Amino acid sequence: MRRLASVLAASVLVLTGCALPRHDPEVTFYANGKTIRLEPTIYCDIDGSNCAEKNAPGTLKVPAGKVVQISVDGQLADGLWEVVCVYENAAKVQEGCSSPLLGKGDNFSYTLAVPNEKDQLLRIEVHEAAGAVLDTGQPLMRGSWVVDITR
């Protein structure tokens, strides 16, 4: 009888498994032979409200001039997302870069490259667009995944 109760309890858990809360989307960063997988530093409801600070930024060692491969999970790839970065050029001046809007089920990855081989990445952020837009027409940010670069 106890065995039957255990089987029934396990069946209920399996059947209700789709009602369990989903985890926050993750982003994978790969450079210099190392991979890190991060959950968001900030994450909001789909409309961009009820935001919560979640996790500290990750760190990744990236030598000057090297690329970073970025992969997002399906939840991000189905929506809109972008990559932004800060880098230091050869003259030691900080500059920024950004990708076009990616996603809509077509883009699961992006290769971030600095313009010149002496440029040093300092920070990378992946932004997920919310289901709302600002007055300017730009999408409101729903989530942010942040990597601070070490040399």
Side-chain angles (χ1 to χ4, degrees):
M1 188 65 155
R2 276 192 264 180
R3 186 173 190 171
L4 179 60
S6 296
V7 170
L8 288 174
S11 298
V12 169
L13 286 176
V14 169
L15 292 174
T16 61
C18 39
L20 295 175
R22 293 172 54 177
H23 69 81
D24 291 336
E26 295 179 329
V27 176
T28 303
F29 299 84
Y30 172 81
N32 201 34
K34 300 289 183 196
T35 300
I36 59 171
R37 189 165 175 89
L38 301 176
E39 291 185 342
T41 54
I42 297 172
Y43 206 61
C44 309
D45 290 342
I46 188 68
D47 63 358
S49 63
N50 296 318
C51 299
E53 290 188 26
K54 297 280 197 158
N55 302 286
T59 59
L60 186 63
K61 184 176 182 176
V62 182
K66 298 298 181 185
V67 301
V68 177
Q69 300 286 333
I70 301 166
S71 299
V72 301
D73 68 15
Q75 189 174 338
L76 266 84
D78 286 343
L80 292 175
W81 60 284
E82 69 177 342
V83 177
V84 297
C85 82
V86 175
Y87 66 93
E88 186 177 82
N89 65 23
K92 304 293 184 200
V93 174
Q94 287 188 9
E95 298 190 46
C97 66
S98 63
S99 71
L101 281 176
L102 305 164
K104 299 245 180 187
D106 295 330
N107 307 103
F108 287 82
S109 64
Y110 181 77
T111 301
L112 174 60
V114 289
N116 300 297
E117 65 181 34
K118 295 194 186 232
D119 294 342
Q120 175 64 58
L121 278 169
L122 301 174
R123 177 173 261 222
I124 303 168
E125 295 185 13
V126 171
H127 297 159
E128 177 185 14
V133 293
L134 299 169
D135 292 337
T136 62
Q138 294 288 79
L140 186 64
M141 187 175 73
R142 178 181 189 189
S144 180
W145 294 255
V146 179
V147 176
D148 290 323
I149 305 301
T150 62
R151 300 171 196 212

